[in-house]
Structure formats: C-alpha cells, structure tokens
Amino acid sequence: MSRLRLGVDKLSSCSGCINEIIYALLSDPLLSELIEISYFPELQDTNVSEGGFDIFLIEGSVVNREQMDRVKEIREKSKIVIAVGTCSTYGGVQSLRDRIDINDVKRNVYLRPELIEVEEEVYSIPEIIKTDLAVPGCPINGDSFLRLMRKLVLGGGEVLILESLCAECKRRGNECVLTKGKMLCLGPVVPAGCGAICPSFGRGCIGCFGIRGDLAAKDAEKLAARMEKLGLGKREDIISFLMRFSYAKDKEYFSRIVGGGGK
Amino acid sequence: MSAEEALLTRVEGEGKARLVFVNGRVEKVEIHIFEAPRFIEYIMRGRRPAEVPEIASRICGICSVSYQMAAATAFERGMGIEVPAEQDRLREAIFYAEHVKSNVLHILYLQLPDLLGAPSSLEVFKKDPSLHKMAVDLFMWSRKVMKVLGGRYHNVVNIRIGGVYRMPEIGEVASLSIDAERAITNARKLSEFVLESVERLPNYQQQIRMMSLCSSIDYPVISREICFEERRFDVSKFEDFVRPEQVPYSNSLRYRTREGVVYVVGPISRFNNSFYSLRSEVRRMLKSFGFAPPLRNIHHSIIARAAELYEFILRLAEFIDSYRPEQIELREPRIDPGTYWGAVEAPRGILYHRYRVGSRGVVEEANIIPPTSQNLLAMENFSMEHLYRMELVEKRESREKLIQEVQKVIRQFDPCISCSVH
Ligand code: SF4
Ligand code: SF4
Ligand code: SF4
C-alpha cells in the first residue's frame, strides 16, 4: 500500500499548533507507517509539492496576497485540506486588528510602514477556500488531533463536534466556576475539545477554541446578555471576550456591535 | 550581480536566506523574514492589563511562558505586587519546563542533522534508536510537567498578574517525580552526547558581543538588570541603549546598540555572563569535556544549550521534590496609569516588554522586542564570516553548499521567526 502524502504549511500564526502537529505525527508509529511527510519546512529540508497531496494541514490565518495565492494552490493540489487551529479556523487573535485603518496599524509598529504589505483584513482559511475540516483550538489539542489523523488515515469519515465545553467540564468533575465561583466562563458556547483546562485551573474559559460551529455569533451574544444580568461584567467587555478568538466567524455582526476589531 | 536564495528549513517560521554575488564573490548575506506581521502590540491597545499576558502568549506558541512572564512581571514590579513565594516558585518551574522543551526541540529536531552531518533527524534516529527513545522520553516528560503545572504544553493557562490561578495538588506534582530520575539521566546523557559531538563543528574564534539579563545571585531567567560586556543597566533603560532599524527585505525590525554595535542574545550570552551560577554538577560535566567560558564561536551555542538543558532539569526536579501548595486569593490586580517594563530570558534570549497604561486603566501603548529581532544582524554577519573563515568561497563550493552552510549558522541562533514579526 502506498503511503498517504501529507503536507503541512503555516501562515500567520504563533506556530503553537505546528508543534502540536509535530507531537501528534511523531508520537504515533502507525502514522509514521502510513503517512509520508512530503512538505513540512519546519521539520525537514527536502520538501516536494509536485504530485499533490492526500492530506494538507494549514496553520495560521491569511493576511496578504502571497498567502492567499498559496492557500488556493494548496487547495488545487490536495484531496483533503484541514484548517488547523483557531487562527486558521476563525482568524485568531490577530484578526482583532480588522477594520481599522491599516496604515494606522502599520505606523504603530514600523519605522517605514510603506514597506509592509498586508491586507486590510485578516482571513480565516474557510473564507478563502473550501476546507474539508476545521479543527479549532489555540492551540489544538494534540491528543485529539492524533485521534483525528488516525481516523483519517484509516479511512474514517467526518467528525462533527456539537458538544459544549460544559459537557467535558462536567465529566471531569469540575466545580462550575460560573455558577459557584461567579466568574465569567464561555464554556456554554465553546466546543468541547480541550478537556476543560481552564475550569480545572479555577478560572473561566476565555474561548480559545472559538464559538461552537453550529452557533451564530448572535446566539453567543444572548449568552453575553445573560452574563451581564448575572453581574459577571459589562456587556461590551463580554462581547469583546467572545470575539477575541472568533472574530472572523461573523465579522459583520461583531463589527456592528463594537465598530471594529482592535478593542 | 546575481543571487542565490533558499527557504529556511528546520527553523520556526517563514524566512529565507539570500546570498548576493558580485563577480563570483559573496558580497552579502540577507535574511528575509517574509512571514507577515500580526500587529499584536496594536491589538493590545485598549485592553485591561489582566488580558495582556494571555494575548502576549499568542506571539509564540513555543515560548509562550516567556511572553506571559515578561508581561506579568512588568506590571508586578511596576506596581510593587508581591507574588507569594510558592506561586513564584511554581511559575518559575513552568518557565524551566519551557526551557527544557525548547532545548530538546532545538537539539533534536532542528539541529541534530547539522551536528552529525546527516540529512535529517529521522535518519539519525534510524541509526541510533536509543538516542531517539531517550529524547522522546524527555520530551514527553516535559510535556507532562507543563500540563500538570500549567494546564498544557503551549499557551499555558496558569499564569496571571500576581501569581497563578491554581496550585496543583501535592499528589499531582509528586506523580511527576516518578519519572524525574529518568529525565535527569536522559538530560545528562543527551547533553553529554551533544558535548561529545562538538568537535565536529567548525572550530574558529570570533568576536561576539554578548548581551543578557544578569543577576548577582542566580543564573538569569527573570531579572531587572541587563549586562552588556562591562556595563550593567536597568531594564527600563533598554530602549535608550538599543535602536531599531528596518530594511526593505524583511518584515522584522532589527536592533543594534545606539553606538552601532551588533550584539548577540541567547544561550551563549547567558552562559558566558553567568557560568558561575550554574549548578556545580553542570559545571563539572562541562569541565570534564574541557568546556569553560568564554565560548567564542557561535557554533558553540549548542554547548550552552546542552548545559542549560541539564541545569533546568535539575531545577525542575528540585522544585517537584520540595513543592508545597498554598492558598490562593484571586483578585484582579490594581494597575495605576504609568509605564511598565519587564524582561525575561526566553529560550532564545532577552525578551523585552513595555506597556503604557492610561487614565482609563487600559493599555495605550505596547512595545515588544523579541530575541530573534535582536539577533538578525548578527546572523547575517556571522553567516558571511563563516563562508570566508571556512574558505568556502575560495574553494569554489557550489551555491547550494554555500547556502546550506549559511543555514547552519542561522540555526545556531534557533531563530523564532513568528515572534520576530509578532
Ligand atoms: S491557533 Fe493559537 S496556538 Fe495555534 S497557531 Fe494560532 S495563535 Fe498559535
Ligand atoms: S465552569 Fe464553565 S465550562 Fe465548566 S460547567 Fe461551568 S460554565 Fe461550563
Ligand atoms: S477552557 Fe476554554 S480557554 Fe481554556 S483551554 Fe479550554 S477552550 Fe481554551
């Protein structure tokens, strides 16, 4: 049996997910047996993209033309494209500079802002191409990612996550920080997947796995209104919390509420 | 004029090296950081200080603890917030674990092929499976430590301004000690393996101008003081001491001192400036291989990395053995308007943060200077120097060979490109 050709590339990101991918790929002998890593510049010198890919993993969000073209090219060459991580799925924290005059943003950081080429907007991968799967997490959970890869190489189908973090949190036997501790926790609208790390550390979830795929930002906003009623913070702050990792999920909606990213 | 370029591989992030030839001679080495910037400093504006460590941690997944610690300590020191002793020790331990992770990653997956002249780590592991087993074991142990102490391996969730969110139970921490002995042995063996292999590296002496944090009592990890050769100054003076510059071919700013000196941050500088604060076992190990400060060859950074790997594992094991949880009081700290400075030694060198908080209690300005941005000029200079010292140009080596050699020099710095375009 010929091995599946795998490609991995990163765009704008912190490489945290790349490292979880490395962990997943290298810690499982089955994957090393069934997968051939054809393209992965972070890990190896010899990289070939001719002949296409069976599976391609993309980390990071798109912020310039070059990346946009690269993503489209990847799509053409690959059978399955997976957006890996919250940057790639929802734009991640860097999308918070969206809808702000980009020249203002550049001037804030650079001595010669005119030399820096970036788009006005930060894009998630599904905004640019059709992805077959999107795996959120900032970073992704390496162990669940490993299970997903195993399933894919063995011929398993799609996985749809419709469970909230709260379910995972309950199973873990955590004391609810929201009801008991009166802390802001986004668990009810965030997909399960991390293992409820933050509540187990006595703090609320800040939504690094993004807002659940089947929920609209509007639904999340209902949660914000409810949380405000419970006295867990000002509505504006809660919304800003909700969009921190998920801005690209519903840009129109979020930008109407806060009039731009940045805050 | 002509040029040869190549994608930088086995580094973290997106960059390429470019050699410029004039009449067959290499005139210039340029490091193009083409990874697009994320403007995280801009994103921090308008946010409460309590949110800052969390956002800062997304600058680099590999050394997120460094980012969180630099941000948290900036506000703590500026506001005179005392971090209770055990929480402080816990945070430091998470920091040590991050250094261990980074060193193992760098040595094994990024640098090993260069060290042994092999095509890839995988080839080396095929020949020497015990080496691989040892390394993976160590890697997995540091992963478990980070998980128990910090919540996860990348972007840990247990660091806040004023301390931690939760102290793990004594039993959870004690469970780490089961494998600690083996981790120490593995770290020592891996370090020794590196030290043994050093003789294969290019051997020449060069002038390296070193900058690191320093502390009169300890090997520096967090400190308010910066050392540059004979000079010592407070971290709040850092921006008076260095100046940024920008070139058209790179998205990362670069730094030199105000006087124009190109300097180096990272393990080799820490090692040379603070060798005598390393544990005596570590110093003994180094001496048995004939190594002592000053190291004067950038390829010898790996000696410093090997020493630190062993040092930080020992420190972690000591922490695990003596851990005592204490009660935590969670309160959002009060941060007055003002300017706050912080610096830590990230695995790759000095990481500097400055925040200005305005009257509304939110950040109005942030400036972050990561290690790679400071090392870029030295990377270019040392790459050039290497080609001529090894007489590679004279020997009419192929362009591919030249660029491979340049890549080796660049990897000595373990550059973190994503951070440099934060
Ligand atoms: S999703 Fe988060 S952890 Fe993953 S690359 Fe992006 S910023 Fe890093
Ligand atoms: S702590 Fe958060 S995630 Fe856990 S049950 Fe409560 S609201 Fe849900
Ligand atoms: S609890 Fe929420 S914020 Fe914390 S790691 Fe999980 S998804 Fe991320």
Side-chain angles (χ1 to χ4, degrees):
Chain A
M1 194 177 110
S2 70
R3 296 196 292 168
L4 292 174
R5 282 169 57 92
L6 176 82
V8 185
D9 205 356
K10 72 160 251 136
L11 307 167
S12 286
S13 72
C14 78
S15 295
C17 294
I18 283 282
N19 281 284
E20 289 292 320
I21 294 174
I22 293 182
Y23 158 77
L25 295 180
L26 299 181
S27 60
D28 184 6
L30 178 82
L31 291 184
S32 338
E33 210 177 287
L34 298 178
I35 283 180
E36 177 195 332
I37 303 175
S38 305
Y39 187 85
F40 196 167
E42 266 78 19
L43 192 66
Q44 61 191 28
D45 292 343
T46 333
N47 292 298
V48 269
S49 63
E50 277 82 52
F53 302 94
D54 293 297
I55 303 174
F56 206 105
L57 312 173
I58 308 180
E59 180 207 63
S61 52
V62 171
V63 310
N64 61 21
R65 284 267 136 213
E66 184 273 323
Q67 293 177 335
M68 230 173 251
D69 295 341
R70 198 166 0 140
V71 167
K72 288 180 187 154
E73 197 189 318
I74 291 173
R75 178 68 276 182
E76 273 165 28
K77 283 185 177 165
S78 320
K79 287 190 196 140
I80 297 177
V81 176
I82 309 181
V84 180
T86 297
C87 289
S88 166
T89 310
Y90 293 124
V93 286
Q94 58 262 30
S95 54
L96 296 174
R97 69 143 172 94
D98 244 15
R99 288 170 195 261
I100 297 169
D101 178 4
I102 186 65
N103 292 315
D104 190 31
V105 176
K106 285 189 207 167
R107 266 196 303 274
N108 184 255
V109 176
Y110 287 98
L111 304 163
R112 295 164 69 188
E114 70 284 0
L115 294 174
I116 302 297
E117 279 172 37
V118 286
E119 294 291 296
E120 290 272 342
E121 247 183 271
V122 174
Y123 298 94
S124 63
I125 306 301
E127 284 177 280
I128 310 286
I129 55 165
K130 185 185 167 300
T131 52
D132 300 285
L133 275 172
V135 184
C138 185
I140 52 160
N141 177 318
D143 293 313
S144 18
F145 187 71
L146 189 133
R147 285 194 293 275
L148 172 70
M149 289 301 288
R150 281 181 80 113
K151 192 164 174 191
L152 279 175
V153 301
L154 295 172
E158 283 184 28
V159 203
L160 207 61
I161 305 172
L162 288 172
E163 194 182 52
S164 285
L165 182 69
C166 289
E168 210 165 25
C169 187
K170 293 264 155 42
R171 281 200 293 275
R172 202 165 158 165
N174 288 335
E175 193 158 84
C176 178
V177 300
L178 186 115
T179 52
K180 292 255 170 58
K182 306 263 174 286
M183 275 181 220
L184 185 59
C185 181
L186 301 182
V189 293
V190 166
C194 75
I197 301 175
C198 293
S200 335
F201 274 77
R203 57 178 297 198
C205 167
I206 61 169
C208 80
F209 272 56
I211 297 172
R212 253 172 68 169
D214 58 326
L215 294 183
K218 279 197 194 62
D219 300 319
E221 208 258 332
K222 279 186 209 141
L223 177 94
R226 178 97 188 97
M227 299 238 178
E228 189 185 23
K229 269 211 191 103
L230 290 170
L232 299 173
K234 282 197 295 232
R235 184 166 165 276
E236 176 190 306
D237 288 342
I238 300 169
I239 301 270
S240 136
F241 229 73
L242 279 166
M243 22 180 284
R244 193 187 292 167
F245 294 97
S246 308
Y247 184 65
K249 184 176 165 66
D250 199 343
K251 288 179 176 172
E252 285 297 322
Y253 183 78
F254 279 133
S255 65
R256 249 199 336 271
I257 295 179
V258 293
K263 249 213 73 191
Chain B
M1 198 183 90
S2 64
E4 174 81 22
E5 28 175 80
L7 194 67
L8 293 177
T9 51
R10 287 188 279 125
V11 299
E12 190 281 306
E14 294 188 297
K16 63 187 179 197
R18 185 161 188 269
L19 303 193
V20 180
F21 295 87
V22 174
N23 300 329
R25 306 248 331 148
V26 182
E27 275 286 306
K28 225 175 138 192
V29 177
E30 293 173 348
I31 298 173
H32 293 225
I33 304 290
F34 63 87
E35 182 153 339
R38 290 181 294 149
F39 305 104
I40 302 274
E41 287 141 323
Y42 194 93
I43 287 160
M44 283 173 173
R45 300 191 347 177
R47 296 185 182 274
R48 286 178 296 119
E51 294 178 79
V52 166
E54 219 102 57
I55 299 210
S57 97
R58 267 70 193 189
I59 288 177
C60 182
I62 307 178
C63 50
S64 60
V65 178
S66 309
Y67 280 85
Q68 294 176 343
M69 290 296 279
T73 51
F75 294 114
E76 286 158 4
R77 304 240 163 129
M79 283 300 294
I81 297 168
E82 284 273 343
V83 178
E86 271 305 310
Q87 293 184 55
D88 200 28
R89 284 197 343 119
L90 174 58
R91 293 202 313 194
E92 262 181 28
I94 303 175
F95 206 176
Y96 298 153
E98 173 163 289
H99 273 262
V100 169
K101 152 172 95 172
S102 210
N103 281 325
V104 177
L105 248 175
H106 181 253
I107 294 173
L108 273 152
Y109 296 111
L110 308 183
Q111 207 171 18
L112 195 64
D114 293 341
L115 192 62
L116 301 181
S120 79
S121 304
L122 301 176
E123 296 297 315
V124 182
F125 298 151
K126 257 185 230 154
K127 275 196 217 121
D128 189 348
S130 71
L131 183 68
H132 191 208
K133 198 181 163 303
M134 204 162 76
V136 169
D137 213 67
L138 196 52
F139 198 51
M140 291 304 168
W141 187 71
S142 72
R143 193 173 170 93
K144 194 164 148 202
V145 172
M146 290 275 268
K147 253 183 149 164
V148 169
L149 306 184
R152 61 181 163 196
Y153 207 35
H154 302 105
N155 298 322
V156 303
V157 307
N158 204 16
I159 293 171
R160 64 182 172 92
I161 303 174
V164 297
Y165 287 94
R166 168 176 174 256
M167 301 219 75
E169 314 215 327
I170 203 153
E172 289 174 88
V173 175
S175 76
L176 298 170
S177 74
I178 300 168
D179 299 320
E181 274 306 314
R182 201 169 72 234
I184 294 175
T185 314
N186 283 338
R188 172 152 191 148
K189 279 197 197 148
L190 195 59
S191 300
E192 287 177 344
F193 165 79
V194 168
L195 296 175
E196 244 166 50
S197 315
V198 165
E199 59 174 32
R200 296 159 172 263
L201 294 171
N203 190 11
Y204 49 72
Q205 300 246 309
Q206 55 189 161
Q207 196 192 17
I208 308 177
R209 313 288 297 265
M210 321 232 181
M211 201 183 306
S212 73
L213 295 190
C214 41
S215 143
S216 42
I217 40 172
D218 214 346
Y219 197 77
V221 187
I222 305 168
S223 170
R224 273 213 76 102
E225 217 172 6
I226 297 178
C227 282
F228 177 61
E229 303 178 333
E230 304 311 314
R231 276 177 278 187
R232 277 173 169 244
F233 53 93
D234 188 81
V235 66
S236 60
K237 299 285 179 294
F238 186 60
E239 282 174 83
D240 300 332
F241 197 75
V242 300
R243 68 173 141 91
E245 55 190 53
Q246 192 183 348
V247 287
Y249 57 75
S250 175
N251 285 339
S252 168
L253 292 172
R254 303 128 66 93
Y255 292 81
R256 59 174 90 227
T257 71
R258 294 254 161 208
E259 291 139 14
V261 176
V262 174
Y263 63 92
V264 168
V265 298
I268 193 165
S269 302
R270 292 193 287 261
F271 181 94
N272 282 344
N273 287 343
S274 304
F275 174 81
Y276 291 98
S277 306
L278 288 167
R279 297 271 183 287
S280 54
E281 294 101 297
V282 181
R283 279 181 283 135
R284 270 204 303 278
M285 172 183 78
L286 289 158
K287 287 215 172 106
S288 72
F289 285 88
F291 296 118
L295 302 174
R296 291 188 195 282
N297 171 353
I298 199 66
H299 299 276
H300 287 177
S301 301
I302 197 157
I303 298 174
R305 244 177 225 116
E308 289 190 353
L309 171 63
Y310 190 29
E311 171 78 19
F312 289 131
I313 276 275
L314 290 173
R315 289 183 181 211
L316 254 181
E318 280 164 26
F319 167 80
I320 290 167
D321 276 347
S322 59
Y323 175 69
R324 290 275 166 279
E326 65 189 11
Q327 275 292 324
I328 289 184
E329 219 183 298
L330 287 177
R331 231 186 293 121
E332 183 158 331
R334 201 189 86 208
I335 308 291
D336 295 336
T339 303
Y340 299 89
W341 293 273
V344 299
E345 281 288 347
R348 295 157 190 83
I350 298 177
L351 166 62
Y352 165 87
H353 290 215
R354 168 173 56 84
Y355 298 99
R356 185 162 55 77
V357 174
S359 54
R360 289 186 304 134
V362 296
V363 172
E364 285 182 347
E365 196 190 338
N367 190 23
I368 292 171
I369 305 181
T372 301
S373 311
Q374 299 174 65
N375 278 335
L376 278 171
L377 281 162
M379 277 184 227
E380 289 182 351
N381 291 358
F382 288 164
S383 300
M384 257 310 255
E385 190 180 339
H386 178 68
L387 295 182
Y388 284 98
R389 289 243 189 198
M390 303 297 284
E391 298 178 352
L392 296 167
V393 184
E394 287 76 1
K395 287 185 205 140
R396 305 199 159 270
E397 291 284 2
S398 70
R399 290 184 166 199
E400 270 125 55
K401 164 84 176 163
L402 296 183
I403 214 146
Q404 272 170 15
E405 287 294 315
V406 163
Q407 294 230 23
K408 282 188 195 165
V409 178
I410 294 171
R411 274 185 217 115
Q412 289 297 334
F413 288 86
D414 189 9
C416 189
I417 294 171
S418 307
C419 312
S420 74
V421 286
H422 50 287

